[in-house]
Amino acid sequence: MRTRRTMLALSVGTLCLAGCGAPGSGSDSGLTIEAADATAATGGTARIEVQASSVGVLTWQLAEIPENWQVTHEGFEPEPTAVRESYPPELVWDPIADSVMGSLAVAVPDGAAPGEYMLAVEAGTDTSDERVVSEARVIVVE
């Protein structure tokens, strides 16, 4: 949906211009996020490994991922204290977690076009407007 993607691109761009820094960068508060690229065949699942520090909220935005692809969170340690079912979905840690690790599973449907798709992963403290973003590539092969 062109409008949704346009708004998503604008919101991610605005966040970076608002002082969130370069993708994956840290801040004075220690807030960081790193999302690794992942590869999957059509009909398979790409697992994006995520690491964050000093995080209160973690979310993802489909960016270039088709909206009919399912993205779920798996194996986060520590487990989030809450999951906000919204768009975009949010994993919440209260109090703020010093270090978080887990993965985002992207289900690549049968018949998906091979290529590279971006998934933006964002972390914040949930007590301020501070945010950091890391982009992961989902590489789809035949």
Side-chain angles (χ1 to χ4, degrees), residues 44-102:
T45 301
R47 285 189 171 69
I48 298 169
E49 297 300 319
V50 177
Q51 294 183 352
S53 61
S54 299
V55 65
V57 177
L58 187 137
T59 190
W60 54 93
Q61 298 178 1
L62 296 180
E64 298 173 1
I65 304 287
E67 63 184 62
N68 65 330
W69 293 19
Q70 187 70 31
V71 180
T72 56
H73 65 281
E74 298 179 340
F76 273 88
E77 290 293 330
E79 289 187 26
T81 54
V83 177
R84 295 181 188 148
E85 297 295 331
S86 59
Y87 183 82
E90 294 180 330
L91 306 180
V92 179
W93 287 268
D94 186 18
I96 291 174
D98 291 334
S99 179
V100 170
M101 295 180 66

Side-chain angles (χ1 to χ4, degrees), residues 32-48:
T32 64
I33 182 82
E34 289 293 330
D37 297 343
T39 301
T42 58
T45 301
R47 285 189 171 69
I48 298 169

